[in-house]
Amino acid sequence: GVIYEIYARSFQDTNGDGLGDLEGVITRLDYLVGLGIDAIWLSPIYRSPMRDFGYDVQDHVAIDPLFGDLATFDRLVREAHARSLRVILDYIPNHCSDQHLWFRESRSNRTNPRRDWFIWRDPAPDGGPPNNWRSEFGGPAWTFDAATRQYYYHAFLPSQPDFNWRHPHVRAAMVNVLRFWLDHHVDGFRVDAIHHLFEAETLADNPPNPDWRAGEPPAEALLRDHTVDQAEVHDAVAEMRRLTDTYAGDRALIGEAYLPVDRLMAYYGSALDGFHLPFNFHLMTIPWQPLAVARLVEDYEAKLPAGGWPNWVLGNHDRSRLASRVGPGQVKVAAMLLLTLRGTPTLYQGDELGLEDVPIPPERVRDPWELNVPGLGLGRDPVRTPMVWSPAPNAGFSGSDPWLPLSPGWRTINAARQAADPRSTLSLYRQLLALRRDHPALTHGSYRTVGATDQILAYERQTDDERLQIVLNMSGDVVRWTVPASTLMAASGDRVGSRLDGDLLLQPGEGLLLEILDGRPPRPAIGDLPSP
């Protein structure tokens, strides 16, 4: 299947307040069916003060009125299921809002039964924080509570206190949150910031990062040895998995953890009893260069546990837009890569249109990360701007001014215009997604690197009955490349003709999806892949 991330505040507004809502998602389900995706992942829609736009949850089992209500959510699930679309919720187990009932009780006094649901510690001998841990959003990771004379820990904003997952009542309460939404027929969860779930009990200082340089995120000045990826997290993930496995039908658990490939693999679980898909973000962080991509794919495939299923991500609500990272001329090649690699792809809304980061004037900055650490370009607002649907006022997103600025070129680059253009980025996404449904080699087929140079990446996907080759020019140059006798199934450029054979001149940013007509060599075993 193919997952499509919906950043709910920016997808479709139906009540004219400039913010997307659940009713808006319902009105756009047919667009998603036409695109060809299989599941939608909704960013947080729970009741929240919106200090971090929903990732500061005030009530895990209530819909924020900005988005609608529980009845509307239930209708969204029914309407999606009627169209054979799955619904995945964002689940935030690491922290909550400081306005959450549980934290307000915890904060009320040191003897409250919920005091230990969060991480409270006495000051250091000098009266300062207990250690040197830093918040991901800038500043110390400890905030002093004057009333109870202790510090509480928060990996993110001070308004996002971390849960103490070593407390059995916290674990039970948070597993019950999953149960509540599974009873409302959701099909799975994207589990937020899972590698932050536990911290070292010793509270040891994090060591300095020798590779950190001025201008990089301040939190990265320290190595997170004692604050992320602690061993206990895997038992918690397994507990989440045990619950989801008790529900009939396919339920998916997807984990968000920015970790090296070796450490990421542990999140599948020792017996594949962890996440179905620990999110693989590495395509977003390596150089956009064929040799680098080939090495990554082979390393990732080789290290997958037996039976583990791969996944790939090229964009999300936290990182710079795909088109801004690789350049507009490489957007279609990137689409071909994402949708033809082995495993589950996740798309971010608007990437199918080739949208770029949107400049945000200082007076319109909303992201707390940018507000806390200004001037470093860390803000995520540029990738969270409203979806551009049509040339209508406000790009068809809302009847009033949107909460963030629209893409500057929205009158010409929008879904309606691209849907009518067979050579558009949207049309290519639709074509590739249709081919994935029709050709088992693109979903279940093996992977083999054919070649990688400074300019070209070529690989094959194969089943017993079908052998496909993908050739991607990831450079800005015209490059000569030799292909076997093939039928052209899809191309990112203007190439005409259905039969290809021998030397070709690939234009900058041109990608080809070919069905090879001659013999089919034996399929390679995953983990025994050729070097590029």
Side-chain angles (χ1 to χ4, degrees), residues 167-438:
H167 197 300
H169 292 169
V170 170
R171 294 177 74 128
M174 292 306 292
V175 169
N176 278 336
V177 170
L178 294 175
R179 183 177 288 110
F180 176 89
W181 293 108
L182 288 165
D183 288 343
H184 280 264
H185 308 293
V186 303
D187 300 288
F189 302 91
R190 176 266 193 187
V191 184
D192 179 68
I194 187 62
H195 53 321
H196 282 277
L197 205 61
F198 288 85
E199 302 75 34
E201 287 188 283
T202 62
L203 298 190
D205 280 357
N206 276 330
N209 178 0
D211 298 324
W212 182 82
R213 298 292 180 269
E216 296 176 342
E220 295 178 9
L222 299 177
L223 298 173
R224 300 173 177 87
D225 290 359
H226 303 295
T227 47
V228 304
D229 196 28
Q230 304 299 297
E232 298 97 324
V233 69
H234 300 294
D235 287 339
V237 174
E239 186 171 359
M240 299 174 195
R241 176 68 179 269
R242 284 194 295 273
L243 173 67
T244 57
D245 284 350
T246 64
Y247 282 76
D250 293 332
R251 310 283 173 148
L253 274 183
I254 305 167
E256 184 207 26
Y258 286 87
L259 293 170
V261 171
D262 288 349
R263 291 162 64 186
L264 187 67
M265 294 303 160
Y267 286 76
Y268 282 98
S270 57
L272 293 185
D273 57 353
F275 288 122
H276 298 92
L277 302 174
F279 258 150
N280 171 17
F281 299 118
H282 290 271
L283 280 178
M284 296 197 297
T285 59
I286 64 168
W288 188 250
Q289 201 271 350
L291 286 166
V293 173
R295 291 185 185 115
L296 167 64
V297 175
E298 293 179 359
D299 182 49
Y300 178 82
E301 287 275 14
K303 290 175 178 174
L304 278 170
W309 185 248
N311 73 96
W312 300 95
V313 182
L314 269 176
N316 64 24
H317 63 284
D318 285 333
R319 296 298 176 104
S320 184
R321 281 271 186 194
L322 171 62
S324 294
R325 294 198 319 271
V326 305
Q330 289 287 314
V331 164
K332 291 183 178 180
V333 161
M336 296 191 78
L337 176 72
L338 180 66
L339 298 180
T340 60
L341 284 174
R342 193 176 83 94
T344 297
T346 298
L347 316 180
Y348 178 49
Q349 69 178 46
D351 280 354
E352 76 274 20
L353 305 179
L355 298 184
E356 299 181 54
D357 293 350
V358 177
I360 307 296
E363 68 275 9
R364 296 201 64 178
V365 169
R366 306 290 296 276
D367 183 9
W369 196 4
E370 176 71 15
L371 293 172
N372 283 358
V373 191
L376 297 183
L378 300 176
R380 300 161 296 177
D381 292 338
V383 309
R384 298 177 172 185
T385 56
M387 187 71 171
V388 289
W389 293 106
S390 73
N394 299 314
F397 165 72
S398 176
S400 62
D401 289 339
W403 74 289
L404 281 175
L406 297 168
S407 300
W410 63 268
R411 289 177 177 82
T412 54
I413 302 176
N414 57 65
R417 288 279 176 86
Q418 291 201 25
D421 179 1
R423 303 196 310 181
S424 68
T425 303
L426 175 59
S427 293
L428 178 64
Y429 269 88
R430 287 177 168 177
Q431 181 185 15
L432 292 170
L433 287 164
L435 289 169
R436 279 181 62 91
R437 290 194 298 274
D438 294 340

Side-chain angles (χ1 to χ4, degrees), residues 375-521:
L376 297 183
L378 300 176
R380 300 161 296 177
D381 292 338
V383 309
R384 298 177 172 185
T385 56
M387 187 71 171
V388 289
W389 293 106
S390 73
N394 299 314
F397 165 72
S398 176
S400 62
D401 289 339
W403 74 289
L404 281 175
L406 297 168
S407 300
W410 63 268
R411 289 177 177 82
T412 54
I413 302 176
N414 57 65
R417 288 279 176 86
Q418 291 201 25
D421 179 1
R423 303 196 310 181
S424 68
T425 303
L426 175 59
S427 293
L428 178 64
Y429 269 88
R430 287 177 168 177
Q431 181 185 15
L432 292 170
L433 287 164
L435 289 169
R436 279 181 62 91
R437 290 194 298 274
D438 294 340
H439 290 268
L442 289 176
T443 50
H444 298 93
S446 62
Y447 170 91
R448 181 175 74 91
T449 302
V450 173
T453 70
D454 290 339
Q455 299 164 310
I456 298 289
L457 174 63
Y459 52 93
E460 290 185 359
R461 303 293 312 282
Q462 184 182 340
T463 62
D464 290 335
D465 302 318
E466 188 175 43
R467 181 179 165 206
L468 308 180
Q469 187 170 123
I470 297 91
V471 184
L472 307 175
N473 183 356
M474 298 172 65
S475 78
D477 303 321
V478 176
V479 182
R480 187 179 300 277
W481 193 259
T482 303
V483 301
S486 311
T487 299
L488 180 63
M489 299 171 63
S492 65
D494 299 326
R495 188 171 295 275
V496 295
S498 60
R499 286 289 298 270
L500 299 176
D501 190 4
D503 286 353
L504 302 177
L505 290 179
L506 293 176
Q507 298 303 307
E510 183 176 9
L512 306 176
L513 173 56
L514 310 171
E515 183 174 13
I516 298 176
L517 299 176
D518 56 5
R520 297 176 175 85

Side-chain angles (χ1 to χ4, degrees), residues 2-39:
V2 178
I3 300 168
Y4 184 96
E5 181 190 355
I6 292 176
Y7 193 71
R9 293 177 69 90
S10 294
F11 196 60
Q12 178 67 66
D13 173 27
T14 59
N15 62 8
D17 63 358
L19 298 168
D21 46 51
L22 293 178
E23 192 68 44
V25 177
I26 294 173
T27 66
R28 296 296 184 180
L29 288 176
D30 289 338
Y31 166 83
L32 298 170
V33 172
L35 180 59
I37 57 96
D38 301 283

